Structures are given as C-alpha cells and as structure tokens.
Amino acid sequence: MRYAYGLTSALLLGGATFSLVSGFPAGAQVAQNDAQKISAMAPRAGAPASFADLTAQLQPAVVNISTRQKVKVQNDNPLAGTPFEGMFGGQGDSGGGGQTREAQSLGSGFIVSADGYIVTNNHVITAEGQGEVESISVTLTDGNEYPAKLIGKDSQSDLAVLKITTPKPLPFVKFGDSGAARVGDWVIAIGNPFGLGGTVTAGIVSAVLRNTGSGSAYDRYIQTDAAINQGNSGGPMFDMKGQVIGINRAILSPTGGSVGIGLAIPSDIASPIVDKLIHGKTIARGYLGVRIQPLNDDLADSLGVPHNKGEFIQLVEPGKAAALGGLLAGDVVLRVNGQEVSPRQSLSYLVANTEPGKRIPIDIIRNGKPMTLQVTVATRPSEEELAQQVFDPDNAGGDNPFKKGANPKAPATSGLTEKAIGLSVQPLTPPIARAVGVAENTKGVVIGFVDPNSDAGAKGLSRGDVVTSAGYQPVNTVAELEAAIRAAQASNRPALLLQVIHRGQPAQYVPIRLR
C-alpha cells in the first residue's frame, strides 16, 4: 500500500445506522408532505442490526496475500568492494554498488471463481524500484497457505489476477453494479490491515466517481469514510447484497493513516479488465498523444471560458493521433464523442475507454472560437514505451548570462510587464538562445527578472525562461508582450496566458494573473 500526502491504498466500506430525529429546529420551514416523504425514506430504526450474517457468508472468499522480494539497496559501506568491506558486517555486491536483501509485502484479495482465480491490486504483487518478486503466497481464512501464480496484471488500472490450486472447490464472490451505488449506501470491507488478517470494517459511500486530480485514465473512485490501512490494498468492498462493487486501493491522508477518506476502484471499471486478464486477452486502450492540464480558474480566466468545463492541451506529440487529427497545444477540449469533459469525466478516461481505430468528433475551443475536429484514436503504448518518450531539447551550451548571480540589463521599456505580470524581459537573440538552451531560431523574449511576490514567481517562472506567445499571439518583441497585456486588460480578463519554454523542457502554457 502506497502512502503520500494524497494517495495510499484504500477501500470503501459499509456503515453506521441512523434514524432521523423527529422535530425540526425552531423557525424551520418544512412542509408537512415533505416531512412525511423524508420519514418514509428514512431507514428503520436499528437496521441493519448487524453485519455478522453477511460477513460470515463473504469472509471465506477474502484472502491474505504476501510476496517475497529481492530488493537492491544502496551500500553505505565506505570500504565496499575492498578486502576490508567485511569490517562493516556484510559483503556488498562485487561492484560495491549495493546489497540485495529479502523483503516482504502484504495485501488483500478475493476469490472470484471456485477454481481459484483471485483479484487484487497490481501494486500488491509488484516490486518497488529495483526489486524482483520471487514468490507470491495466498492464505485462506481456514489458515491454509498456497503458492499463487500470476495470471495477468495491468499497471494502468492497478489490477492483477492470481491463481491458486486447491484440493476442493473454493468459496467465491461476484462483481456487482457499482453504477447503482449511491452516496449514503452501506458498504463493508474485509481485508488484511497490518497483516492482522480477516478484519471487517464498515462505513457508507461518501462519494461516487471521485476524481483525485492525478490525470490518469482511471482516476474515478468510490469514496468511503471507513477505516482503511496498510494491507487493505486489493481487498473487496461489498454492498448489502454481498456483491463486490469496489476494490480497495488508496486513501487520502496527511499522516499515512486512515482519516476517513478511502478510495476503491469501481467494479464497473474493474470487472471487464479482470475478465480479460483471466482469459489472457490484450487490454487495448485509446490514445491521443497529448499532455493535458485541468482547466483551473487561472487558465479559464486567461482564456475567457467557463470554469470546470473541459481540459487544456499543453503539448501535442508530433505524428500521433492528436496531431494527425489537427489538435494543437493551447486547445481547450470540451467534448469527446459527444461526452462532456469535466472533473468527474476526464479527457484521459474518455479516450482510454474509446476503441482504438475509431474515428470520433472532438469539440474544442481554439483562440476563443469553437470548432469540431474528427480524430482517429490510436492504441495506447505500453508503460515502458511511454517512459522512454523523453524530451530532448537543443542544448547549445555556452556561457549563460542568466545563470544564478548574473544580472543582465534589459533595454528600457515602459515598465508595463513589470507592473502587470511581474516580469522584466528582453528580446531573444541567437547568443542568448544558445545560453538559455533553446534553438537559435526560437522566436520570443527572454525573462531577465521575476518579481518573487508576483503570480509569475509563484508559478515557477524564472530568469532565462523564454516567452514565445501571449494570449495565443506570437511574441517576438517586448512591445508585442505589452500589447497582449493591454488587450487582456481591455477585455477585463484577470489573467494572461503565456507560452513559456524552460531550459530542458518542452514549451508549456502558464496562466499569469494580472495585477
């Protein structure tokens, strides 16, 4: 189970009973028929009386999963690789670069067939860093332990399928309909927190289709207030029918412990992927080849478009589906194949769940004008292939007048850029382009100073960055940047969209608030 300020392993659980208190606060204006309607919808007092019967039926299908791994760790022995390395109580690798140690991970899973197929999270059975998984073991509720074979895994959705062989048929559970889950529904979860095994927790559905802002294709979770901890990863979340509607994956926590915000992969997403993994089928996902960013308030204000609708394209890969279909960096995508792009339904999700090879309409706004493009969706590359797609900038080297401590003098200007956006800029000449690591033929202005108290400073702009456009208009001179600022002010826009190149990185759009 992974822990960070946001994501760690999570689950959704079933929860506490309540009954409505009769009567209303003084002054409350509630029509009698509304009060009767509310009373009719309220759960019966004390129901459910207990989760014990349901737990007894479900618990035998929930398993504990452990892995043994070989993990390479850094060797801190200053004499490693010498005849004296044993003085520090161990032998390093022959090259002295580290040691290999045994490690163990714990998680949860659930049986989905009588012949022993088991579903869990991919991260439960995948080694971290330079580790290698040597063996996977599954322990049933009766205490019997069996070696498990990895049938298939999918890092994108964080799902994996294992298989064990036993002398007799196994109890199993089925996937339910997560789309029918409603906020306030009861759910229970059974898992292996801290290696304790067979632990049952309960709560309610706190939210459905929860988006955490990670931008991944599967950033859609069921959220619960149930207690979820290390080792619950991969365990099932059950509805009151005893069906799996979620797979516990992560928690949001500032401490690494449960604070009542757990996240589970919805069964509607997990079930078809699990079926393909069991049958050895390839999981093909749609792909455009773009780098995207949520349309936050600053971006929306700089573009003059509504908030919380659509996503912004920062980068388009040359030769990929998006580029071939006419999409450009700076476009705002509003709809994909007729479905709205929103925080709850991201562009990544819509495209990933589109069949590769399908030609679909994509509605965008470009420079304030709506238009529709027809794009043929490609097949998403493997994670290994994506990891190799690194930007290789033109680094001409040379003495950098913008290095820390340098103070290049910019030509005299009207001072508008300093006052409005906190930047001092000057024309980009070929020698300066070489110095800041961009191609000599790059057009734009280079930043010489950033006011640390400005929005530009807060968003990471720094001396040596190159501004190539402002408000979608090319910027080749200081005067052109000032003209873009005046145009934004005249339109009463509170922010200006700049396209900026930072050394060693591709160009990106940054909305800067005017002051």
Side-chain angles (χ1 to χ4, degrees), residues 403-493:
K403 65 185 178 182
K404 188 175 181 180
N407 187 23
K409 294 183 179 180
T413 67
S414 68
L416 178 60
T417 61
E418 292 91 336
K419 294 176 184 177
I421 55 177
L423 299 178
S424 174
V425 299
Q426 67 183 77
L428 182 67
T429 62
I432 292 177
R434 289 194 300 270
V436 298
V438 298
E440 288 188 29
N441 60 353
T442 303
K443 302 296 183 182
V445 294
V446 64
I447 297 174
F449 173 78
V450 181
D451 182 350
N453 298 315
S454 66
D455 188 48
K459 289 177 176 169
L461 269 66
S462 61
R463 182 167 52 201
D465 288 350
V466 176
V467 178
T468 58
S469 74
Y472 290 120
Q473 299 302 311
V475 169
N476 298 318
T477 65
V478 177
E480 288 177 345
L481 177 57
E482 292 177 341
I485 293 172
R486 293 191 184 95
Q489 292 172 333
S491 301
N492 292 320
R493 289 188 182 174

Side-chain angles (χ1 to χ4, degrees), residues 308-360:
N308 299 319
K309 295 291 184 183
E311 289 188 11
F312 185 82
I313 296 180
Q314 279 283 6
L315 180 70
V316 176
E317 286 187 69
K320 302 299 183 182
L324 296 175
L327 284 167
L328 301 175
D331 288 346
V332 177
V333 181
L334 300 179
R335 282 174 294 276
V336 174
N337 202 22
Q339 299 184 73
E340 282 200 354
V341 176
S342 68
R344 296 183 66 180
Q345 189 165 252
S346 68
L347 174 62
S348 293
Y349 174 80
L350 292 173
V351 172
N353 288 279
T354 300
E355 183 182 355
K358 186 175 182 179
R359 189 170 177 81
I360 59 173

Side-chain angles (χ1 to χ4, degrees), residues 77-88:
N77 185 346
L79 300 180
T82 74
F84 305 102
E85 65 181 353
M87 294 175 62
F88 281 78

Side-chain angles (χ1 to χ4, degrees), residues 229-251:
N229 290 286
Q230 184 177 1
N232 280 124
S233 285
M237 182 183 72
F238 295 106
D239 62 14
M240 292 298 98
K241 298 176 183 178
Q243 297 179 327
V244 179
I245 61 168
I247 301 174
N248 309 318
R249 180 182 185 272
I251 62 174

